[in-house]
Amino acid sequence: MNIYSTVLFFCIFFMACSGSDDIKPENPEQPEKEWDKTRTAKIEFISDLTNKSPYTESNYSVVASFIASKNDRHITILDKANVTFEATRVNWGAKVAVLAEKYPVFVPVSKASTEYIGSSVLSVATVPQMEQIVVAKACRMLPMSINIKQGLAAKVALLSFNEESQINASVNLFKSAQATSIPVVGTVNRNLMPVLKTQLEIVLGADSYNIDIVDNVNVNTEYCVYIFSPPKWKFRDFAETTISGNIKSLMLQVELLK
């Protein structure tokens, strides 16, 4: 009887301690999918990432020539292409668009004593329907339709910030963009990025989107470019090209996943 009990004990021990080579983890890590460049939106910012307009009579034609030479961008955004409404009115986005043979739309961020501060979006064709969404006083969000390739259209949105109150007023717009799978891009004062990240995490949760800062060579600039990506989009690449002086082309590539 004692011998039988001893044998039984060792049988139970080895059965309990032995593993199975066929057991797999419940949630194995999936390999990253290959980048499909045919499903990628190319979004270009032209900026010096300061709080002032970088465009002057001596350099706007150089910027226009650069834009005209690049035909693969789906959207080109002239950051801080401010519109002056003094006695001498200047619309730098319109001046660049004429030379570059593009169609401009001005999207304001705020209003100063003599000018509207904002961006001009340049497109290769007229837009049949467009609506700017009010965020806060003189601050607007612009959803834009783009044709990534024949048979594949998508929407992206432009929304820039220079005040904390604008971020606080925009959280429901990010929630809507997440629900409708619209990536949001823009420039933001670098000191306000922690506020933007915190507000998004409070409203959306931490794992339902990605937000990336696009750092240029000079990471000490006052402003930076951000990109908010819902789950169906993936930020893939960024390239920087000097156009004139401190004015850079900051080109983002974002893939619409299958």
Side-chain angles (χ1 to χ4, degrees):
M1 187 67 180
N2 289 337
I3 295 174
Y4 175 79
S5 299
T6 302
V7 173
L8 181 61
F9 170 80
F10 278 104
C11 287
I12 293 173
F13 176 82
F14 282 113
M15 289 176 64
C17 293
S18 63
S20 171
D21 293 336
D22 296 329
I23 296 176
K24 297 179 181 179
E26 292 182 4
N27 296 304
E29 184 178 347
Q30 296 295 325
E32 184 175 355
K33 293 183 179 179
E34 185 178 352
W35 179 10
D36 187 347
K37 295 186 178 182
T38 68
R39 297 178 60 85
T40 298
K42 295 183 177 181
I43 304 168
E44 179 181 47
F45 282 83
I46 294 180
S47 178
D48 66 355
L49 296 178
T50 69
N51 66 342
K52 296 180 180 179
S53 174
Y55 311 105
T56 65
E57 288 292 344
S58 62
N59 69 25
Y60 85 91
S61 60
V62 177
V63 174
S65 296
F66 177 86
I67 294 171
S69 69
K70 307 295 181 182
N71 297 317
D72 61 340
R73 278 63 164 155
H74 294 106
I75 300 171
T76 296
I77 300 164
L78 295 178
D79 182 49
K80 302 297 188 299
N82 304 337
V83 177
T84 303
F85 51 81
E86 290 183 305
T88 303
R89 298 189 177 186
V90 180
N91 185 334
W92 289 111
K95 292 172 76 71
V96 171
V98 169
L99 293 181
E101 298 182 351
K102 308 292 183 187
Y103 294 91
V105 176
F106 182 72
V107 185
V109 177
S110 59
K111 184 180 179 182
S113 59
T114 60
E115 64 182 358
Y116 280 98
I117 298 167
S119 303
S120 283
V121 178
L122 306 184
S123 60
V124 297
T126 56
V127 180
Q129 185 177 2
M130 182 178 298
E131 180 182 0
Q132 296 195 27
I133 301 170
V134 176
V135 179
K137 185 178 181 180
C139 181
R140 303 291 184 268
M141 177 184 193
L142 177 64
M144 301 166 281
S145 296
I146 59 172
N147 291 316
I148 296 177
K149 64 178 181 178
Q150 187 174 4
L152 181 61
K155 274 191 174 184
V156 301
L158 171 65
L159 177 55
S160 294
F161 304 107
N162 55 21
E163 297 175 10
E164 184 173 341
S165 60
Q166 297 168 342
I167 294 175
N168 296 335
S170 70
V171 289
N172 285 331
L173 294 175
F174 280 99
K175 187 175 182 179
S176 177
Q178 180 199 35
T180 53
S181 295
I182 297 177
V184 183
V185 298
T187 55
V188 59
N189 187 300
R190 198 178 287 273
N191 294 331
L192 295 177
M193 272 307 301
V195 178
L196 178 58
K197 288 183 175 181
T198 298
Q199 289 286 12
L200 291 178
E201 185 171 344
I202 291 172
V203 175
L204 303 178
D207 302 321
S208 59
Y209 63 92
N210 285 316
I211 185 163
D212 294 285
I213 299 174
V214 179
D215 264 329
N216 59 325
V217 170
N218 181 8
V219 296
N220 295 317
T221 53
E222 185 175 357
Y223 282 74
C224 60
V225 175
Y226 78 90
I227 176 164
F228 169 88
S229 306
K232 288 187 178 180
W233 291 83
K234 186 173 181 62
F235 175 46
R236 287 293 192 180
D237 192 30
F238 162 69
E240 176 179 332
T241 305
T242 299
I243 299 176
S244 175
N246 291 326
I247 302 176
K248 312 283 187 179
S249 162
L250 310 171
M251 224 267 283
L252 290 65
Q253 298 193 64
V254 197
E255 181 188 357
L256 176 58
L257 303 175
K258 295 181 180 179

